[in-house]
Amino acid sequence: MPENPWRTPLTILNSLGLFETYIGEAGPDNPDSPMVGRVWLNLPYGPFQRAYMTHMANHHHGIAFVGARPDTTLFQRYVFGHATAVLFLEGRIALLDGSGNVDKSSATPRALAAYGEDDAIALRRCGLKGTFLWAEAAKRTGERTLA
């Protein structure tokens, strides 16, 4: 199974509260593993991205840390198509390597996709700099209650 060599900066994780399940943060993960409670998904690169995002869309309770690539089929289908809200983070986010050191070569545009109204509210209120948008899925399901 895939092992994600990149870790999320703690400033991002700490701003969003606690999660019951963390995927893509420590060691190999299985895209078919059960998602329990509120899920944090640091989307691993590679051939299993669609499986992870399908699982997250079906679970619909948590936040996915993804590349800010709204032009891709993955983003169109699983973020705009299933997420409640998305926060496009300001600037390029440098990830941490397996030893916890900042790896500037990993700095790319990133987004946080919230699945479910509670996670959209947490995303809206987290204090991270960026642009918050309600996703298309929220328009269809009527989840847009937070002003």
Side-chain angles (χ1 to χ4, degrees):
M1 283 298 105
E3 184 169 343
N4 191 354
W6 308 112
R7 305 292 177 255
T8 306
L10 290 178
T11 53
I12 293 174
L13 279 173
N14 291 342
S15 72
L16 296 168
L18 297 175
F19 296 86
E20 282 79 26
T21 304
Y22 291 83
I23 297 173
E25 289 299 328
D29 290 299
N30 182 339
D32 298 323
S33 294
M35 290 186 171
V36 177
R38 187 172 187 232
V39 173
W40 171 260
L41 172 61
N42 177 359
L43 185 63
Y45 290 101
F48 295 100
Q49 285 187 325
R50 181 174 288 150
Y52 281 108
M53 292 302 285
T54 298
H55 204 30
M56 183 62 130
N58 290 333
H59 183 66
H60 205 71
H61 183 33
I63 296 177
F65 185 51
V66 299
R69 295 285 314 274
D71 57 318
T72 64
T73 301
L74 188 85
F75 205 95
Q76 291 287 322
R77 182 172 295 151
Y78 298 104
V79 176
F80 288 140
H82 291 279
T84 305
V86 61
L87 176 64
F88 289 92
L89 295 168
E90 184 178 295
R92 293 179 174 263
I93 307 300
L95 304 177
L96 306 178
D97 65 19
S99 300
N101 300 311
V102 173
D103 185 332
K104 293 184 181 181
S105 71
S106 69
T108 60
R110 296 281 176 177
L112 295 166
Y115 294 84
E117 188 171 350
D118 289 344
D119 288 296
I121 291 168
L123 198 60
R124 178 86 182 239
R125 296 179 178 166
C126 72
L128 295 170
K129 291 183 180 180
T131 301
F132 177 90
L133 301 171
W134 291 105
E136 190 65 27
K139 294 178 189 174
R140 289 193 304 274
T141 62
E143 289 184 288
R144 300 175 64 157
T145 59
L146 179 67

